[in-house]
């Protein structure tokens, strides 16, 4: 099966192959409701779409996910978690899960799992930024992959 595939740079391929992938993505993401609409947006014919749709794909490396798990201790104050989530959003992370324990002794423990594949800074910079927030007592990077 490996002999059926090649790794080829987009630079040497005709642009209509990228447009086939684009049209497929329009359909998958529900940005186009029909194949006719998708190919019109992509600027290719239906024939081109059908001819190549099952044979051209984006590299898996383009969709690499990086994940991190953070343990955060917050002051038990209104808006504390909201400020953390807003900061993470500003850094272009995506929240995968949130687990918050019942606050005890004025502190709330929060466990966050994040998709950091599109983050706009380094992980240590994210941790430092979170530690500077007024309602954050501690941030610990538990895991990263």
């Amino acid at each position: 099966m490996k002999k059926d595939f090649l790794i080829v740079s987009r630079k040497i391929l005709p642009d209509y192959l990228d447009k086939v992938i684009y049209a497929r993505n329009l359909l998958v993401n529900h940005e186009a409701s029909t194949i006719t609409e998708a190919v019109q947006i992509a600027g290719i014919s239906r024939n081109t779409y059908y001819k190549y749709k099952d044979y051209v794909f984006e590299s898996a490396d383009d969709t690499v996910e990086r994940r991190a798990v953070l343990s955060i201790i917050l002051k038990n104050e209104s808006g504390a978690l909201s400020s953390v989530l807003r900061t993470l959003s500003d850094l272009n992370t995506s929240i995968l899960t949130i687990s918050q324990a019942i606050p005890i002794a004025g502190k709330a423990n929060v466990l966050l799992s994040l998709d950091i594949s599109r983050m706009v800074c380094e992980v240590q910079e994210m941790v430092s930024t979170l530690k500077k927030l007024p309602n954050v007592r501690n941030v610990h990077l538990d895991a990263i992959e």
Side-chain angles (χ1 to χ4, degrees):
M1 179 146 168
K2 286 184 180 180
K3 292 182 181 183
D4 290 340
F5 296 95
L6 301 171
I7 298 175
V8 180
S9 172
R10 279 188 156 112
K11 293 176 184 178
I12 66 166
L13 295 175
D15 68 337
Y16 59 81
L17 294 178
D18 267 338
K19 292 178 180 182
V20 169
I21 294 169
Y22 178 58
R24 184 186 319 115
N25 288 339
L26 289 171
L27 292 165
V28 168
N29 296 328
H30 304 291
E31 296 174 30
S33 55
T34 65
I35 291 173
T36 301
E37 182 182 0
V39 298
Q40 285 176 345
I41 293 169
I44 56 174
S45 69
R46 286 173 52 94
N47 184 47
T48 299
Y49 177 78
Y50 282 113
K51 184 174 182 180
Y52 296 106
K53 72 177 181 70
D54 295 324
Y55 300 103
V56 293
F57 304 96
E58 289 181 298
S59 168
D61 291 341
D62 292 343
T63 58
V64 171
E65 288 188 16
R66 292 190 59 214
R67 295 182 181 155
V69 177
L70 297 177
S71 292
I72 304 174
I73 298 179
L74 301 172
K75 292 180 186 176
N76 185 24
E77 294 179 0
S78 179
L81 181 56
S82 178
S83 67
V84 168
L85 298 178
R86 188 173 28 261
T87 300
L88 290 170
S89 176
D90 291 345
L91 296 174
N92 213 23
T93 66
S94 183
I95 309 295
L96 300 173
T97 64
I98 300 174
S99 177
Q100 182 174 0
I102 296 172
I104 297 176
K107 296 183 276 183
N109 189 355
V110 178
L111 185 68
L112 296 173
S113 61
L114 309 170
D115 177 350
I116 58 170
S117 58
R118 300 186 195 291
M119 192 167 59
V120 295
C121 65
E122 296 298 319
V123 174
Q124 289 306 322
E125 185 179 342
M126 172 190 63
V127 170
S128 296
T129 301
L130 291 172
K131 284 181 177 180
K132 293 175 186 172
L133 295 175
N135 292 330
V136 173
R137 293 211 173 168
N138 193 17
V139 178
H140 183 264
L141 178 63
D142 292 338
I144 190 167
E145 67 175 8

